[in-house]
Amino acid sequence: MAGLRLSWTCAHSNPESSKFLSRFTAESSFRCTWTRLPLFRTSVSSSARRKLCIRNVANDQQKELKERVNGEVVDDCDTFFPDSESIAASIKYHSEFTPSFSPEGFGLSKAFYATAESVRDMLIINWNATYNYYEKMNVKQAYYLSMEFLQGRALLNAIGNLELSGAYADALRMLGCNLEEVAEQESDAALGNGGLGRLASCFLDSLATLNYPAWGYGLRYKYGLFKQLITKDGQEEVAENWLEMGNPWEIPRNDISYPVKFYGEVISGADGSKQWVGGENVTAVAYDVPIPGYKTKTTINLRLWSTKVAPEQFDLNSFNVGDHANAYAAIKKAEKICYVLYPGDESLEGKTLRLKQQYTLCSASLQDIVARFERRSGESVDWENFPEKVAVQMNDTHPTLCIPELIRILMDVKGLSWKEAWDITRRTVAYTNHTVLPEALEKWSFPLMQELFPRHVQIIEMIDKELIHSIIAQYGTKDLELLQQKLKKMRILENFELPDSVMELLVKSAEEPAVDLVEEAESIDEESLPDKEDESEDKVTVNKVDASFKVDPKHPRMIRMANLSVVGGHAVNGVAEIHSEIVRTEVFSDFYELWPEKFQNKTNGVTPRRWIRFCNPDLSRIITKWTGTEHWVTDTEKLAILRKVKLFADNEDLQSIWKEARRRNKLKVVSFLEEKTGYLVSPDAMFDVQIKRIHEYKRQLLNILGVVYRYKQMKEMTLEEREAKFVPRVCIFGGKAFSTYVQAKRIVKFIVDVGATVNNDSDIGDLLKVVFVPDYNVSVAEVLIPGSDLSQHISTAGMEASGTSNMKFAMNGCILIGTLDGANVEIREEVGEDNFFLFGARAHEIAGLRKERAEGKFVPDPRFEEVKDFVRSGVFGPHNYEELMGSLEGNEGFGRADYFLVGKDFPSYIECQERVDEAYRDQKRWTKMSILNTAGSYKFSSDRTIHEYARDIWKISPLLLS
């Protein structure tokens, strides 16, 4: 479509209508070059007698198909140049004909939905073209399965990627609106919680930008995690309402749905085949969200699943007799699968719901992937070729059921043998590990799994048996103690007896260790059987083997999902160099010894489009001007040029405009904090920020205790002494504590109480403020990160897999204080040791320090004891913080003994904060550090990470639409 001319005719004499027509739609035209639309007429209402006519001007003027751009002849079918007038017409069209609101007025909410729908029109053209091209080329495609996709707002990101920010700003100005105010009306998509989900969304952005054929798969949560309210009682949770007004970006695919089964039983056929029958059935329905690349036509897909049941499962008879609850019980049971992200799993019902969620994601996605493979293969489907066309990446252990589910589909539905299905699955699936925390490695009750997924448990038992044989093949059977240790650590089934066939093998090995067991099995006959007088000796041998591999009846039988992920996939990667090393040497050391070729590192990255180009336009313009190119947005290595100290970091002109840009960002933070919390802070203070999920290992408690120590010191000084010793600080916290994580919620309450006391202390004034920002999400981060001076990444060493907020802060010129943990290690190497504030114990010391504590040898620093006593004195209100402070004391016991080493690192932390104050006083030095942090962040782009995944794990290549 080279051009469209829109004209309106209206036969009624509504003056408002006349204004609308003359202002917004008279003779509007726009250029769209991906497709041509036929001439068509639409009658809107016979009563209103209003008619919209759209005519394809290009059919009359073929010469307009080509025009010159920068001196080159460009085919209109390859380029799209909408102007602000045509965009305004498109927005008004959607406000009238895609109505989400009543026709009265054109408020900000209505403007947002109409604007989003006009953007979606353009995305759909590229979206369909991308999909059709992949179908036509029958490409190898990667599929990224994740329980979370923390997307944030989509409008500014989409028009930025389409390079239409200016045109949309002008168009909305014509309509009497401001683009930023319109964008503020969008709710953050409540599809994720923390770094896991944000990483997944950054990856999708990079996949599209780099033209890699890939899709994301997730669940469409109706209420997300929760909306966080901060009150005098700390954190309160209410249901998220992000879908209340609808989601303009998603498109329901009612023609794409798959059955998902729970419970039931497995029946065997005469030929040995297995079928899973009966049970509870739900339907997973697809909702698609376009993900545009930056400056490219590639627009990939995020497919989200929602659950329902067939209409016939509504019990009309029960409803008519008044038993309404029973009438729609099946409907509610199905719908609740996609109500909430991470429902509480303290109860059996909660555990069951979480497993249903995970299986729904895996089953629906794999059925969809298999159907696409069959369709693209045409009449001749070669299942051996499946791994050559499909790569499935499991983002953490949540999608682990992909492994037995793919085997089930291949065996029970497609008729492949166990050997074929197992080989195909292992070549298709890969696993990203995101944590070393035991609770996050996921273990599920065997009886619960067996009840929910009887066929999958059979398959898992077969995989476990394969693993046992691999371990025996590696380590032999002579050293039963060694073998027992390996099996105890590595088996998928925890606290299970060995299969009978394996026991027989071990008994035979113990009796005749020198004989080749395979040759003996082939040559055995009746004469070689033992005499009756040897039976007692045999019994001793059997008892000895039994004793070596006995199970504990007091402990539950479990299924280890992380072990299943490692065994069932062809690649395992950590997400930072230190994390990947811990994965190899500690978490999965036995597996690494068995299959070293499986293990890789893929240091996380973040998209530079959202996390600096769009959220920090002032700084982005400076970078573009001083590097001489805008290519840094897709090639962050261009940022490294700023490392040339004399030319850039020490340049007074650059430092001056850099500092001005950062102050403008801080003024935005000041306004934001006042709006969200009521606290007014000074932009001249250092903005010290820790925004991330609230967890003990992330040590927000260490941070706030450091603030308390600072406050106590101030209170003991004169005004002159305070001002001489301390630079003004605004300590900003944000993050959600999981609703059933009591200790994390205590930390939130403590931070809020400290803030209420400090912020109202007239003696302290602007020297110290403490602010907890409620309902932290991507949009909050997009405001806080560009305006931050210092960012805290202070997890207990060895416990943070990577972190991605540290990368976002560094990219925006913020200086980090942190431990040598996760990606901090690599960031410090890149930005320079002098530009990173380091403190705390190292990862290799942690186990020894905990042991020392258990032995009663730890001697706390007097300053740490002083702070705890100060908290207990009641200075921060009447709330009893004994349990919170008590968790930092004692030498052993659950919830005690300071497992995360807050007390151990406290002296190092407060001394490091003194160095921070000293550096901040020298603003020239601080600005230089800021520039060098941005320069050193070049390595931490998700584009680089995706290139490595595509090359090393997925084996896919970019595919540029022509």
Side-chain angles (χ1 to χ4, degrees), residues 9 79 131 133 142 158 165 235 246 302 348 363 431 440 446 519 534 542 641 713 772 829 869 884 957:
T9 60
T79 314
Y131 178 82
Y133 194 43
S165 299
Q235 172 179 295
L302 170 58
L348 176 61
S363 180
Y431 162 53
F446 179 83
E519 290 182 4
D534 297 327
V542 171
I641 193 175
Q713 283 188 302
F772 194 102
E829 289 174 357
D869 290 342
L884 186 61
S957 302

Side-chain angles (χ1 to χ4, degrees), residues 787-848:
S788 300
D789 296 304
L790 181 75
S791 179
Q792 304 216 23
H793 305 274
I794 56 177
S795 54
T796 310
M799 302 204 75
E800 182 74 85
S802 172
T804 55
S805 62
N806 45 10
M807 302 170 186
K808 298 162 196 167
F809 279 103
M811 196 174 279
N812 281 272
C814 181
I815 290 88
L816 309 188
I817 179 173
T819 53
L820 279 182
D821 196 26
N824 284 358
V825 178
E826 293 159 84
I827 291 173
R828 182 170 176 262
E829 289 174 357
E830 297 300 330
V831 305
E833 294 180 6
D834 293 339
N835 305 305
F836 184 105
F837 294 103
L838 176 67
F839 76 95
R842 306 306 197 253
H844 68 273
E845 300 173 323
I846 300 301

Side-chain angles (χ1 to χ4, degrees), residues 467-725:
L467 172 63
I468 292 170
H469 283 288
S470 296
I471 294 170
I472 290 174
Q474 175 75 11
Y475 298 103
T477 57
K478 292 183 179 179
D479 189 340
L480 290 183
E481 184 177 346
L482 173 64
L483 186 60
Q484 189 269 344
Q485 291 174 358
K486 294 295 181 183
L487 291 174
K488 185 176 182 180
K489 290 181 181 179
M490 299 174 71
R491 285 191 67 184
I492 298 163
L493 301 177
E494 179 180 282
N495 202 34
F496 271 73
E497 295 179 347
L498 290 173
D500 290 342
S501 61
V502 175
M503 286 298 295
E504 291 172 6
L505 181 68
L506 294 177
V507 169
K508 184 167 292 190
S509 175
E511 291 172 346
E512 300 181 54
V515 178
D516 187 287
L517 295 177
V518 175
E519 290 182 4
E520 182 179 305
E522 292 174 349
S523 61
I524 194 167
D525 56 32
E526 290 185 3
E527 294 182 2
S528 65
L529 293 174
D531 295 331
K532 288 186 178 181
E533 56 264 28
D534 297 327
E535 286 181 1
S536 59
E537 185 178 340
D538 293 344
K539 190 173 183 179
V540 170
T541 304
V542 171
N543 289 339
K544 179 182 176 183
V545 174
D546 281 340
S548 297
F549 298 93
K550 65 181 178 181
V551 300
D552 187 346
K554 295 179 182 178
H555 286 118
R557 298 192 298 169
M558 308 293 287
I559 297 180
R560 297 160 162 167
M561 306 306 274
N563 288 20
L564 177 56
S565 296
V566 174
V567 175
H570 67 90
V572 180
N573 71 278
V575 289
E577 285 182 0
I578 186 173
H579 171 238
S580 296
E581 181 63 19
I582 291 170
V583 165
R584 287 190 294 264
T585 59
E586 296 180 28
V587 181
F588 298 125
S589 58
D590 297 283
F591 289 105
Y592 177 66
E593 190 176 286
L594 185 61
W595 297 306
E597 70 283 354
K598 280 192 180 188
F599 289 81
Q600 302 184 15
N601 173 62
K602 296 286 172 282
T603 297
N604 282 343
V606 299
T607 169
R609 269 76 63 184
R610 182 179 287 270
W611 292 112
I612 182 166
R613 176 66 178 83
F614 300 148
C615 77
N616 198 344
D618 286 349
L619 198 63
S620 296
R621 283 190 286 270
I622 293 170
I623 293 170
T624 297
K625 177 181 177 181
W626 282 76
T627 60
T629 179
E630 199 178 37
H631 291 163
W632 63 267
V633 181
T634 51
D635 180 8
T636 51
E637 289 196 5
K638 305 284 185 192
L639 294 173
I641 193 175
L642 297 173
R643 283 173 155 175
K644 296 181 179 179
V645 175
K646 291 184 180 179
L647 287 176
F648 298 102
D650 278 337
N651 187 290
E652 291 187 2
D653 292 336
L654 175 57
Q655 284 204 1
S656 176
I657 60 173
W658 192 278
K659 190 175 177 181
E660 287 174 11
R662 291 190 55 77
R663 181 174 175 80
R664 286 193 292 273
N665 288 328
K666 292 180 73 172
L667 289 170
K668 293 177 184 177
V669 173
V670 171
S671 299
F672 177 81
L673 293 180
E674 185 176 17
E675 176 190 347
K676 295 295 183 183
T677 70
Y679 289 128
L680 182 62
V681 301
S682 169
D684 297 320
M686 178 201 301
F687 286 6
D688 174 352
V689 181
Q690 187 179 20
I691 44 176
K692 53 184 76 233
R693 178 166 52 94
I694 308 296
H695 197 291
E696 288 173 277
Y697 90 83
K698 293 178 183 286
R699 298 204 293 189
Q700 285 91 353
L701 184 55
L702 174 61
N703 184 349
I704 192 61
L705 287 176
V707 173
V708 169
Y709 181 75
R710 189 182 190 89
Y711 176 64
K712 184 177 183 296
Q713 283 188 302
M714 287 180 175
K715 293 292 288 181
E716 294 168 351
M717 295 177 178
T718 65
L719 175 61
E720 293 74 17
E721 289 173 330
R722 290 180 205 135
E723 291 179 346
K725 181 173 177 62

Side-chain angles (χ1 to χ4, degrees), residues 19 153 321 864:
K19 290 179 184 178
R153 293 169 175 162
V321 298
F864 185 59

Side-chain angles (χ1 to χ4, degrees), residues 287-329:
Y287 285 74
D288 285 352
V289 180
I291 308 295
Y294 179 69
K295 292 188 177 183
T296 177
K297 291 181 183 178
T298 299
T299 299
I300 62 173
N301 194 40
L302 170 58
R303 177 157 287 176
L304 303 172
W305 300 107
S306 187
T307 44
K308 66 176 187 178
V309 293
E312 53 267 24
Q313 293 202 40
F314 175 71
D315 190 341
L316 188 58
N317 291 330
S318 294
F319 190 85
N320 286 333
V321 298
D323 188 1
H324 299 161
N326 186 57
Y328 52 74

Side-chain angles (χ1 to χ4, degrees), residues 5 32 38 134 225 274 291 307 322 332 354 362 398 428 791 831 841 947 950:
R5 192 172 304 279
C32 176
Y134 292 168
L225 186 71
K274 306 285 187 181
I291 308 295
T307 44
K332 290 299 181 185
R354 279 215 189 185
C362 296
H398 308 126
T428 300
S791 179
V831 305
H947 271 311

